[in-house]
Amino acid sequence: MKDATLTRKSNPDHHSVIALTDTVSVGGDTLLIVGGPCAVESEAQMAQVARHLAQTPVQALRGGVFKPRTSPYAFQGLGAEGLRILDDLRHRFQMPVISEVMAVDQISAMAAQVDVLQVGSRNMQNFDLLKALGRTTQPVLLKRGLAATLEEFVMAAEYILSHGNPNVILCERGIRSFDPYTRNVLDLGAVVALKQLTHLPVMVDPSHAAGKRELVPALARAAIAAGADGLMVECHPVPDQSVSDARQALSLEAMVDLVHSLGPIAAALGRHLAPNRAAPALTTV
Ligand code: PEP
Ligand code: MN
């Protein structure tokens, strides 16, 4: 990867810490745990998720409003109405929100209403989108392409950095292989390699890797043991009723159990979860 000059690690202790907000960051000793549904479905659904997770070590919420669906007839996301819901929630619950941007013309509205712009696997090599995100200062969560090599993945990040935005978080989410039992294959070797090659934070999404909820907690723990800086996990108040990715969604209770099971593994690596947030922060909700 001889051209990967901006993402390259200059020495083993070179780790970029990327701030999502004044109080939440990723890449330091505190693991960033992100939870939420595949898609924003309604204000009530998202508020239920936020209320359940706000007093736990989960520090950020996820939810797609522009959904890249295989079928054009499937739910495509709430769009602008979904952004309004996310913007409202992040203020009410004081939790940063992450949502996928699919097109250059969505960037300015999204940058005003969400904290982190996610580039999905299907857009990892949408170079116009990467360049446009590079001209902002918004944190970008860049997901690995469905069958992207590590070189392609790192060079996609390099596009964003080379256009001026240093705030890139990498996310391993499983790669395509031959066995349909799991939706994808979680590549933990990639997590180890990316931490050696680049100074960027590396997160793991075990949900899209596994595709089955019963596999998610163990894969999440393995990711932290492999050195991931955080996790993004899909969860839903009524998982089987999720409009998308129902089979991989955890219940909110299972999400909290999973997060608490990470504590000893984090400690073994000299890291920790964020502390539970105090109830008074919620007096305005
Ligand atoms: C998602 O995070 O909802 C998503 C669509 O993920 P991916 O791009 O990894 O498939
Ligand atoms: Mn999903």
Side-chain angles (χ1 to χ4, degrees):
M1 297 185 201
K2 67 177 170 40
D3 292 334
T5 52
L6 299 172
T7 52
R8 180 178 299 144
K9 201 170 198 174
S10 53
N11 68 62
D13 300 324
H14 180 196
H15 301 291
S16 288
V17 176
I18 293 177
L20 279 61
T21 61
D22 290 347
T23 53
V24 177
S25 62
V26 58
D29 289 343
T30 306
L31 299 175
L32 175 66
I33 313 296
V34 182
C38 183
V40 175
E41 298 167 15
S42 69
E43 171 100 48
Q45 170 229 25
M46 286 305 298
Q48 211 174 331
V49 173
R51 211 174 290 119
H52 204 99
L53 301 182
Q55 285 171 264
T56 75
V58 177
Q59 290 182 291
L61 297 172
R62 64 150 286 145
V65 304
F66 299 110
K67 292 303 301 175
R69 305 302 301 282
T70 300
S71 165
Y73 310 114
F75 176 63
Q76 303 285 305
L78 291 183
E81 165 65 5
L83 286 178
R84 193 198 56 71
I85 292 171
L86 291 176
D87 190 26
D88 179 51
L89 278 175
R90 66 179 175 155
H91 292 116
R92 277 168 63 201
F93 290 89
Q94 295 163 34
M95 291 175 91
V97 296
I98 300 180
S99 198
E100 177 166 349
V101 59
M102 296 221 299
V104 172
D105 65 11
Q106 295 164 352
I107 293 175
S108 60
M110 289 194 76
Q113 292 176 96
V114 307
D115 299 283
V116 179
L117 299 178
Q118 173 175 324
V119 175
S121 293
R122 291 152 194 81
N123 271 316
M124 188 204 80
Q125 285 187 314
N126 180 337
F127 298 116
D128 281 346
L129 184 60
L130 301 177
K131 288 181 203 172
L133 289 166
R135 292 189 283 268
T136 75
T137 55
Q138 196 85 7
V140 175
L141 181 83
L142 179 65
K143 298 189 85 173
R144 184 179 181 182
L146 304 173
T149 65
L150 290 192
E151 174 146 28
E152 289 163 343
F153 190 17
V154 169
M155 293 312 287
E158 197 80 19
Y159 261 91
I160 303 172
L161 270 74
S162 65
H163 284 77
N165 185 353
N167 301 314
V168 176
I169 305 157
L170 301 174
C171 184
E172 159 62 30
R173 47 76 74 202
I175 48 175
R176 280 263 166 100
S177 188
F178 56 86
D179 188 345
Y181 186 81
T182 56
R183 186 174 180 181
N184 291 289
V185 174
L186 183 61
D187 185 1
L188 291 180
V191 176
V192 179
L194 290 166
K195 292 293 297 176
Q196 291 174 2
L197 291 167
T198 84
H199 56 86
L200 301 175
V202 179
M203 293 188 53
V204 167
D205 168 354
S207 304
H208 291 86
K212 290 186 161 93
R213 68 173 67 91
E214 63 272 26
L215 301 179
V216 169
L219 290 177
R221 288 188 284 272
I224 296 305
D229 294 294
L231 298 170
M232 186 164 75
V233 178
E234 287 187 347
C235 55
H236 191 285
V238 191
D240 286 331
Q241 286 174 22
S242 304
V243 296
S244 55
D245 289 350
R247 185 65 183 84
Q248 70 198 33
L250 297 183
S251 67
L252 301 179
E253 295 75 16
M255 176 73 193
V256 175
D257 287 348
L258 156 59
V259 173
H260 285 119
S261 78
L262 300 170
I265 300 165
L269 293 152
R271 310 188 85 173
H272 49 259
L273 296 167
N276 286 323
R277 285 201 299 160
L282 296 175
T283 50
T284 54
V285 297

